[in-house]
C-alpha cells in the first residue's frame, strides 16, 4: 500500500482525496487544514484524518507520497520541506514547470516514472494533451492552433470574474502551448485564450494540420477509443457545457464530475489535411485521475496502461 498525504484540501485536493480512497493499492493517511471551513468539516464527517497545517511534519512523517494541491506558488516553497524529508511529491499545474517532470498519464508515464517530483499539468493542458497525443500517434501532427475559452472561476468561487465581459489574454502564445510541449516536446503548437463569464467548464477550439488526412468517421472512432476522451453528440441533446454537466450528474458521478475530455462529434471537420474540433474540459476533475496515476508512477508501479486501467475502473471513467 502506498501511503498518501494531501496538502491543500480545496477544489483539486478534496477530489484527489476521494479518488485515493477508491484505490486498493493506496492508503489516505490524511489531509491538511490551514483554516477551518465547510470542506474540513465534510472531510471529518467522512472520517478522513485531518492534520492542522502546523502539524504538517506529523503527516509527512507517516507517508510515502505527498500530493500538494495548494494554490499556485505555495507548492514551490513546500518542495524544500519535502526534499529535506526525502518524500516524493506530486504538484499541480499552477506550479512552474521546473518544479518536477510534467505528467499526463497517457502521454509520458513511462518516461517520468523514476522521478521524485511530478507536476500534473493544468486542466487545459491535460485536455489538449489527451486528444493531440492520440492524433499525433495516428496521423502525425504538423502543427496545431488552439483557442482556449476559459471559465471565469470555479462554481463555489465568489471572488473571481469576469461576470459581464469576454476578456482576451493579451499575450501570445498563451502559456498553454509551451506547457503542452513540457509533455509532448516535439509538438508545434500555438495557443490563444479568452476568459468568459461561466463557471462550468472550459472549451477549446482546435485546428490541427496533419501529415495523413483522416475522415471524420475515423477521427470519431479514434477519440471513442482514446482513454479519458468521451465523444458527445447533438443527437443525444448534448449541445452545451450545461448539458454535459447535467449528463455527469445523471450518470451518478461523484460531485457531478466529468473527468473525461468531451469532444462533440458534430464539431469534427476535415478540410484537406486540416482537422478541426471542439472539446470541453471539466476543470475541477480532469486532472484527478492523472494525480492517481502520478502517485503510482512515482512509486515505480506500472506499466502505464495498468495504472490507467485501475484508476479508470475505480472512478468509473471511460
Ligand atoms: P483551491 O483554492 O480550491 O484549494 C487550495 C486549498 O489549499 C484551499 O483549501 C486552501 O485552504 C489550502 N491552502 C492554502 N494555503 C495553504 C498552505 N500554505 N498550506 C496548505 N494548504 C493551503 O485551489 P485549487 O483550485 O484546488 O488549485 C490547487 C492547484 O491545482 C493549483 O496549482 C491550481 O492551478 C491547480 N488546478 C486547479 C484547477 C481548477 O480548476 N480549480 C484545475 C487544475 C489544476
Amino acid at each position: 500500500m502506498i501511503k498518501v498525504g494531501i496538502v491543500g484540501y480545496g477544489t483539486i485536493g478534496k477530489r484527489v482525496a476521494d479518488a485515493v480512497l477508491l484505490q486498493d493499492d493506496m492508503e489516505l493517511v490524511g489531509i491538511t487544514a490551514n483554516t477551518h471551513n465547510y470542506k474540513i468539516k465534510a472531510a471529518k464527517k467522512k472520517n478522513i484524518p485531518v492534520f492542522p497545517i502546523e502539524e504538517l511534519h506529523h503527516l509527512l512523517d507517516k507517508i510515502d507520497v505527498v500530493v500538494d494541491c495548494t494554490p499556485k506558488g505555495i507548492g514551490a516553497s513546500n518542495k524544500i520541506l519535502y526534499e529535506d524529508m526525502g518524500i516524493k511529491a506530486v504538484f499541480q499545474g499552477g506550479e512552474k514547470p521546473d518544479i518536477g517532470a510534467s505528467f499526463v498519464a497517457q502521454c509520458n508515464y513511462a518516461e517520468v516514472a523514476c522521478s521524485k517530483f511530478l507536476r500534473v499539468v493544468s486542466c487545459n493542458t491535460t485536455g489538449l494533451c489527451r486528444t493531440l497525443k492520440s492524433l499525433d500517434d495516428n496521423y502525425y501532427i504538423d502543427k496545431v492552433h488552439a483557442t482556449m475559452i476559459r471559465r471565469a472561476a470555479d462554481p463555489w468561487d465568489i471572488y473571481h470574474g469576469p461576470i459581464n465581459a469576454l476578456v482576451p489574454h493579451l499575450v501570445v502564445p498563451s502559456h498553454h502551448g509551451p506547457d503542452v510541449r513540457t509533455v509532448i516536446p516535439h509538438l508545434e503548437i500555438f495557443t490563444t485564450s479568452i476568459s468568459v463569464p461561466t463557471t462550468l467548464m472550459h472549451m477549446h477550439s482546435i485546428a490541427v494540420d496533419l501529415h495523413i488526412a483522416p475522415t471524420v468517421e475515423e477521427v470519431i472512432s479514434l477519440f471513442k477509443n482514446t482513454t479519458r476522451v468521451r465523444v458527445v453528440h447533438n443527437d443525444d441533446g448534448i449541445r452545451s457545457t450545461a448539458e454535459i454537466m447535467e449528463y455527469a450528474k445523471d450518470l451518478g458521478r461523484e460531485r457531478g464530475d466529468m473527468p473525461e475530455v468531451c469532444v462533440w462529434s458534430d464539431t469534427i471537420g476535415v478540410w484537406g489535411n486540416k482537422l478541426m474540433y471542439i472539446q470541453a474540459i471539466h476543470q475541477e476533475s480532469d486532472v484527478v485521475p492523472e494525480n492517481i496515476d502520478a502517485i503510482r508512477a512515482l512509486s515505480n508501479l506500472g506499466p502505464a496502461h495498468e495504472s490507467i486501467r485501475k484508476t479508470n475502473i475505480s472512478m468509473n471513467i471511460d
Side-chain angles (χ1 to χ4, degrees):
M1 295 289 265
I2 312 166
K3 292 186 166 57
V4 181
I6 307 225
V7 175
Y9 193 71
T11 305
I12 302 300
K14 64 185 181 179
R15 286 174 167 82
V16 174
D18 285 349
V20 168
L21 287 170
L22 295 173
Q23 310 308 312
D24 62 11
D25 54 355
M26 296 180 196
E27 178 193 341
L28 180 63
V29 176
I31 61 158
T32 57
N34 71 321
T35 56
H36 180 76
N37 59 28
Y38 64 92
K39 293 170 221 167
I40 300 301
K41 202 168 173 179
K44 287 182 176 161
K45 195 111 182 131
K46 291 180 181 177
N47 293 321
I48 295 175
V50 176
F51 292 71
I53 195 67
E54 305 74 40
E55 292 169 23
L56 176 58
H57 276 87
H58 294 314
L59 174 62
L60 297 179
D61 270 341
K62 296 181 172 61
I63 60 177
D64 305 310
V65 177
V66 60
V67 185
D68 189 300
C69 303
T70 56
K72 148 167 135 179
I74 294 178
S77 43
N78 287 344
K79 183 180 174 185
I80 301 161
L81 180 61
Y82 306 150
E83 255 175 333
D84 278 355
M85 295 185 68
I87 295 172
K88 295 180 172 185
V90 180
F91 297 97
Q92 307 306 311
E95 301 304 323
K96 295 215 169 84
D98 62 3
I99 199 161
S102 292
F103 180 82
V104 175
Q106 64 210 77
C107 298
N108 66 345
Y109 189 109
E111 287 108 272
V112 299
C114 292
S115 309
K116 280 173 102 173
F117 301 110
L118 291 179
R119 167 179 169 264
V120 168
V121 290
S122 75
C123 47
N124 279 308
T125 304
T126 297
L128 287 169
C129 286
R130 284 189 189 154
T131 49
L132 292 174
K133 174 78 164 85
S134 196
L135 289 169
D136 193 39
D137 285 349
N138 288 274
Y139 305 114
Y140 308 106
I141 291 177
D142 184 19
K143 55 182 179 300
V144 181
H145 173 241
T147 298
M148 257 54 62
I149 299 155
R150 300 166 69 187
R151 62 90 180 97
D154 285 337
W156 60 268
D157 182 351
I158 59 174
Y159 301 107
H160 293 101
I163 58 168
N164 188 27
L166 308 184
V167 185
H169 185 63
L170 297 173
V171 177
V172 289
S174 67
H175 70 274
H176 308 92
D179 206 27
V180 166
R181 291 177 62 138
T182 66
V183 180
I184 313 172
H186 67 270
L187 206 66
E188 290 295 326
I189 177 167
F190 190 91
T191 52
T192 48
S193 146
I194 304 166
S195 295
V196 300
T198 179
T199 64
L200 300 178
M201 300 181 89
H202 302 296
M203 196 177 274
H204 299 165
S205 176
I206 304 176
V208 190
D209 292 318
L210 297 162
H211 286 285
I212 302 171
T215 64
V216 169
E217 288 68 33
E218 283 168 343
V219 177
I220 292 174
S221 164
L222 177 69
F223 284 159
K224 277 187 177 163
N225 290 308
T226 301
T227 188
R228 299 177 181 170
V229 174
R230 179 184 285 269
V231 179
V232 295
H233 314 276
N234 180 19
D235 276 355
D236 293 333
I238 300 182
R239 294 150 303 197
S240 67
T241 53
E243 284 147 335
I244 292 178
M245 289 288 84
E246 195 61 16
Y247 183 36
K249 289 180 201 153
D250 291 347
L251 287 170
R253 288 288 178 76
E254 186 79 6
R255 292 193 169 88
D257 284 347
M258 181 62 85
E260 301 95 333
V261 171
C262 294
V263 182
W264 273 275
S265 60
D266 318 84
T267 66
I268 298 174
V270 176
W271 183 32
N273 274 32
K274 199 181 279 290
L275 167 73
M276 273 142 307
Y277 61 100
I278 293 178
Q279 63 183 22
I281 312 293
H282 185 219
Q283 76 279 354
E284 295 172 287
S285 68
D286 73 327
V287 298
V288 176
E290 306 294 339
N291 273 276
I292 298 301
D293 292 326
I295 294 168
R296 287 203 191 90
L298 283 180
S299 310
N300 262 331
L301 294 176
H305 67 85
E306 183 51 25
S307 177
I308 291 170
R309 192 186 67 84
K310 272 175 91 75
T311 307
N312 286 1
I313 291 171
S314 68
M315 294 181 69
N316 193 19
I317 293 176
D318 280 354

